[in-house]
Amino acid sequence: MAGGKDRRREAVALHYTQAKGAPQVVAKGRGLLAEEIIERARTAGVFVHESPDLVNLLMQVDLDDSIPPELYVAVAELLAWLYRLEHGGVETGAAAQAAPTA
């Protein structure tokens, strides 16, 4: 989740409901703010996925905006993987070890 020249940590929190249609950026930050977002997520039992490339793209989305259509596939793959993980539907073997590449 690091990015930029100074390699400060970055974090983006998404919220998804079917009623909205697309996930929304509900929190984002760098440095200490990013650490706080990550800590609060973990404390709340929310899965934290580290993908510097995806975070870099999501940092460009304004707070409270839905993600752009260009990111639908990457985020949908991550949400589908998380759903399978949480509901016991993750494959065994090598496929289980391969998290989404987004």
Side-chain angles (χ1 to χ4, degrees):
M1 296 179 74
K5 281 198 275 185
D6 62 2
R7 309 295 290 169
R8 289 192 308 169
R9 193 161 198 173
E10 296 179 324
V12 177
L14 300 177
H15 181 260
Y16 173 75
T17 61
Q18 287 183 331
K20 292 281 187 176
Q24 287 183 281
V25 173
V26 295
K28 66 180 188 174
R30 291 181 176 85
L32 292 176
L33 182 55
E35 296 294 335
E36 183 68 20
I37 292 167
I38 294 165
E39 179 60 30
R40 286 185 183 207
R42 288 186 173 141
T43 299
V46 174
F47 180 79
V48 175
H49 176 74
E50 296 194 30
S51 175
D53 292 335
L54 184 56
V55 169
N56 186 44
L57 293 169
L58 290 170
M59 286 294 289
Q60 299 172 38
V61 178
D62 288 334
L63 198 58
D64 295 325
D65 280 357
S66 295
I67 65 169
E70 298 81 17
L71 296 180
Y72 284 1
V73 172
V75 173
E77 287 176 357
L78 177 59
L79 292 174
W81 180 79
L82 268 173
Y83 181 86
R84 288 191 306 270
L85 182 69
E86 290 176 350
H87 293 88
V90 174
E91 303 85 7
T92 58
Q97 297 173 12
T101 58

